[in-house]
Amino acid sequence: MRVMGVDPGLTRCGIGMVDGGIGRKVTAVDVGVVRTPQDMDLANRLLRVADAAERWMDAHRPDAVAIERVFSQHNVRTAMGTAQAGGVVALAAARRGIPVAFHTPSEVKAAVTGNGSADKAQVTAMVTRILGLRVAPKPADAADALALAICHCWRAPLLDRMAKAEAQAAAARARYTERLAEQRRAGGTRNSGGGQRKAVGE
Amino acid sequence: MRVMGVDPGLTRCGIGMVDGGIGRKVTAVDVGVVRTPQDMDLANRLLRVADAAERWMDAHRPDAVAIERVFSQHNVRTAMGTAQAGGVVALAAARRGIPVAFHTPSEVKAAVTGNGSADKAQVTAMVTRILGLRVAPKPADAADALALAICHCWRAPLLDRMAKAEAQAAAARARYTERLAEQRRAGGTRNSGGGQRKAVGE
C-alpha cells in the first residue's frame, strides 16, 4: 500500500510518500516540502498547495492520503490556515477517489516513537531509522510527513479491522431490533399499550 | 460588480449572489444553501461544497467572492470544518482567477445593519429590506451569504482606495529612502562612520 503523508501548512507543507510492505516493513518513495510566500493572498496560497498536492498524487498514485489533524494552536489564524491547507489536499484526494485519513500529532508520535509526546528530534531520528535513510529528512515538516505516512501504514489494517467489527456489530444490532419488532407485531394487542417503548440496543 | 457571498460550513453552506450598482444600490441574483450529510467523511463533504461552489461560479460568473472569515468558535472541530469549507471555496475562485476577500462577521453586521453586534434576526431583516425581497431569505445561512455579498459591494471601493493609498505611500517612502541613500553615498567618507544608521521611514 502506497501512502502519501501530509503535514499541512501554508508557509511549509511537508509531503512524504511511503510504501508499506508485509508486517511493519516500510520504504520511502519520495519526500519534499511545498512553500508559499507569506505575502501572497490566502486563496492563491491554497491554490499553490492544492496544485502541488495534485502533482504528487498524479506522479505517485498513492492508495491513501494521511493528513495531520489540526487542533487549536497558539495562533488561531495560523491554525485556520493549516486546517485549510489540509482541506484542499483532502479535496484533491476526494476528487481522485483516494481515501483520506486524519491522524492526530500524538497518534503519529506514538506510532513512530512509541511515545505520544515525543519531540521533533525523536520523531526525525525514528523516521530516519525506520525507513533506513542515510541522512535525516529536513526540514521537520518533511520528517513529519513521512511519520504520518508510516503511522497510516501501521494503523490502517487496525482501523480497517475495527471498522469491519463495528459494521458487523451494527448489522447484528439491526437484526436483533428487527426481530424484536416482529415479535411485538406478532404479540399484537398485548404489547400495543406500551407505546413509545424503546428497542434494546438503540 | 457581481459578488458571490459565502457563509462557509459543512452542514450548511450559504451562497448568495448580488449585483452591486451605482452608489449603494444592490440587487439579489440568486441565493441557496449547500448541505452535506454529517455522517459523510470530511474529504467528501469538502468535495460536495467545492463542486457546488464551482457550479455557482460557472453559472453566475461573479467578479469577486466574499467569504466569512472564521475565528475560533466554541467547538474547535466545527471551526476547523468551517474554515476548510471556506478554504475550498477560495481555492475554486483562485482557480478561475476570481479575487477573494474575507470579511469578519462583525464587519458584515456593521455594513448591513450599522451595528457590529447585531443578531441574526436584524441581519435577515436588513438584508430583506436592502434587496427589496418580498420574503425573508431562509435559513439564516442564506441571509448571511447575501449580507456578505452586500458588505463586499459596499466595502470593495473603500478597500480598493485604501490599497491604492497604501501603495502610493509605500512608493513615496521607497523614493525617499532611495534619495537618502544617494545623499549618503554623495556625502562619501563624512557619513561612512555612521555604520548601521537606519533610514527614516524604514
Side-chain angles (χ1 to χ4, degrees):
Chain A
M1 178 173 66
R2 176 162 292 180
V3 177
M4 175 167 151
V6 179
D7 182 22
L10 289 174
T11 308
R12 281 186 310 279
C13 179
I15 301 183
M17 203 67 70
V18 161
D19 277 343
I22 295 158
R24 289 170 73 84
K25 175 121 191 74
V26 280
T27 49
V29 177
D30 202 351
V31 65
V33 172
V34 181
R35 292 166 207 269
T36 74
Q38 281 184 284
D39 57 359
M40 187 181 258
D41 72 278
L42 175 60
N44 279 301
R45 295 182 84 179
L46 291 172
L47 179 57
R48 288 264 180 110
V49 170
D51 281 348
E54 298 199 337
R55 277 198 301 276
W56 276 75
M57 287 175 199
D58 295 339
H60 292 293
R61 312 222 158 247
D63 301 300
V65 173
I67 305 176
E68 190 173 294
R69 189 185 293 284
V70 181
F71 281 109
S72 66
Q73 289 175 353
H74 319 293
N75 184 332
V76 177
R77 197 167 192 148
T78 308
M80 294 298 167
T82 307
Q84 288 171 324
V88 298
V89 175
L91 173 69
R95 280 249 158 83
R96 285 159 179 73
I98 306 170
V100 178
F102 291 86
H103 303 288
T104 65
S106 54
E107 282 166 351
V108 175
K109 288 172 186 173
V112 171
T113 72
N115 170 11
S117 51
D119 62 21
K120 287 208 171 283
Q122 287 173 290
V123 171
T124 299
M126 280 308 294
V127 164
T128 310
R129 196 192 298 178
I130 292 165
L131 295 172
L133 304 173
R134 268 176 299 176
V135 284
K138 267 185 199 172
D141 314 77
D144 282 347
L146 289 170
L148 262 149
I150 297 169
C151 167
H152 188 77
C153 286
W154 292 349
R155 285 190 86 208
L158 219 98
L159 294 176
D160 263 5
R161 238 179 297 155
M162 261 173 59
K164 266 182 205 137
E166 274 169 10
Q168 279 180 349
R173 203 160 50 229
R175 274 197 305 276
Y176 182 63
T177 310
E178 175 60 27
R179 218 155 12 168
L180 263 188
E182 256 170 43
Q183 280 176 6
R184 222 173 280 154
R185 278 195 295 273
T189 47
R190 208 191 55 196
N191 282 339
S192 65
Q196 305 250 338
R197 199 174 296 175
K198 216 176 161 193
V200 178
E202 271 189 335
Chain B
M1 178 172 69
R2 178 162 292 180
V3 177
M4 174 167 151
V6 179
D7 182 23
L10 289 174
T11 308
R12 280 185 311 277
C13 180
I15 302 184
M17 203 70 67
V18 161
D19 277 343
I22 295 161
R24 290 168 75 82
K25 175 121 190 75
V26 281
T27 48
V29 177
D30 202 352
V31 65
V33 171
V34 181
R35 293 166 206 269
T36 74
Q38 281 185 284
D39 58 357
M40 187 182 257
D41 72 279
L42 175 61
N44 280 301
R45 296 182 85 179
L46 291 172
L47 179 57
R48 288 265 181 109
V49 171
D51 281 349
E54 300 199 337
R55 275 197 304 273
W56 276 76
M57 287 176 201
D58 295 339
H60 293 292
R61 312 218 159 251
D63 302 299
V65 174
I67 305 175
E68 188 173 295
R69 188 185 292 286
V70 181
F71 281 110
S72 66
Q73 290 175 350
H74 319 292
N75 184 332
V76 178
R77 197 169 193 147
T78 308
M80 296 296 168
T82 307
Q84 288 172 325
V88 299
V89 175
L91 172 70
R95 280 248 158 82
R96 285 157 179 74
I98 305 171
V100 178
F102 290 86
H103 303 288
T104 65
S106 54
E107 283 165 349
V108 175
K109 288 171 186 172
V112 172
T113 72
N115 170 10
S117 50
D119 63 21
K120 287 205 173 286
Q122 286 172 291
V123 171
T124 299
M126 280 307 295
V127 164
T128 310
R129 194 191 300 178
I130 292 166
L131 295 172
L133 303 173
R134 267 176 301 176
V135 284
K138 269 187 197 171
D141 314 79
D144 282 346
L146 289 171
L148 262 150
I150 297 169
C151 167
H152 188 76
C153 286
W154 292 349
R155 285 190 85 209
L158 219 98
L159 295 175
D160 263 6
R161 239 180 296 154
M162 261 174 60
K164 267 181 203 138
E166 275 170 9
Q168 278 180 349
R173 204 157 53 227
R175 277 198 304 275
Y176 182 65
T177 310
E178 176 59 31
R179 219 160 8 171
L180 263 188
E182 255 171 40
Q183 281 175 5
R184 220 173 281 154
R185 276 195 297 275
T189 48
R190 208 190 56 193
N191 283 340
S192 67
Q196 305 250 337
R197 200 174 296 175
K198 216 178 163 193
V200 177
E202 269 190 339

